Amino acid sequence: MPKILPETNKPSPRRETATLLNAALDWAAQGWPVFPLQQNRKDPLFPYPHPKGEKCDGSCGRPGHGVLDATTDPDVITQWWTRYPKANIGGSTAGRVVIDFDFEHGATLPEGMPLTREHLSGRGNGNVHMVYVPTGTMGVGLRQGRLAQGVDL
């Protein structure tokens, strides 16, 4: 059974003067592939570039594949956030396990959770994402509310 280890890198201290571009570049420098989301939303910024029903894994090179567009390339990130400076930042969690505690939906933080990298939801409600790195293969396919009340993976 694989172990789940705490994420080793911690987020940079929050800088009040940080722009979304700087934040996206900071995340990428820490190894988190990022992609732009619609302003104040969780939806990808770019619409799907293919006719409805046509499948693509992003290899076409056009943006619009959501998390498949995620990159750590600072030139691409700079282009995106220079053109769309208010775009939210989406990040790929590939290779990580993220436990999402939504307290307003009944989540409780269990005692004894290993210390790890934590991301606040950004909504000012105290919800938190705890990030871990699995050692080995994990077959996780849980959906919202299935792990516990108010707890998603």
Side-chain angles (χ1 to χ4, degrees):
M1 174 122 183
K3 292 182 179 179
I4 299 176
L5 303 175
E7 171 75 43
T8 55
N9 55 355
K10 297 287 183 186
S12 299
R14 184 173 178 166
R15 293 169 280 181
E16 294 303 319
T17 58
T19 63
L20 289 166
L21 169 59
N22 289 339
L25 289 169
D26 187 44
W27 275 53
Q30 294 178 55
W32 284 74
V34 298
F35 64 103
L37 301 175
Q38 292 180 27
Q39 183 178 346
N40 299 322
R41 304 213 25 200
K42 295 181 180 181
D43 306 309
L45 177 66
F46 304 116
Y48 191 65
H50 306 289
K52 188 173 182 169
E54 184 178 319
K55 301 224 186 254
C56 180
D57 61 4
S59 59
C60 69
R62 294 183 278 176
H65 301 87
V67 72
L68 297 176
D69 292 337
T71 184
T72 57
D73 183 328
D75 292 333
V76 173
I77 294 166
T78 299
Q79 288 174 1
W80 283 340
W81 272 274
T82 297
R83 186 161 184 190
Y84 306 100
K86 294 184 179 185
N88 270 4
I89 302 168
S92 171
T93 58
R96 297 172 173 92
V97 173
V98 180
I99 304 173
D100 178 4
F101 292 91
D102 292 326
F103 300 114
E104 77 275 10
H105 294 292
T108 57
L109 195 60
E111 288 188 37
M113 290 289 293
L115 295 178
T116 188
R117 180 178 180 134
E118 294 181 9
H119 296 192
L120 296 177
S121 72
R123 289 182 239 143
N125 57 11
N127 290 347
V128 65
H129 302 146
M130 298 181 76
V131 183
Y132 298 90
V133 178
T135 62
T137 304
M138 293 192 67
V140 177
L142 299 174
R143 300 221 183 266
Q144 183 174 2
R146 302 272 315 263
L147 184 57
Q149 185 66 34
V151 181
D152 310 335
L153 286 184

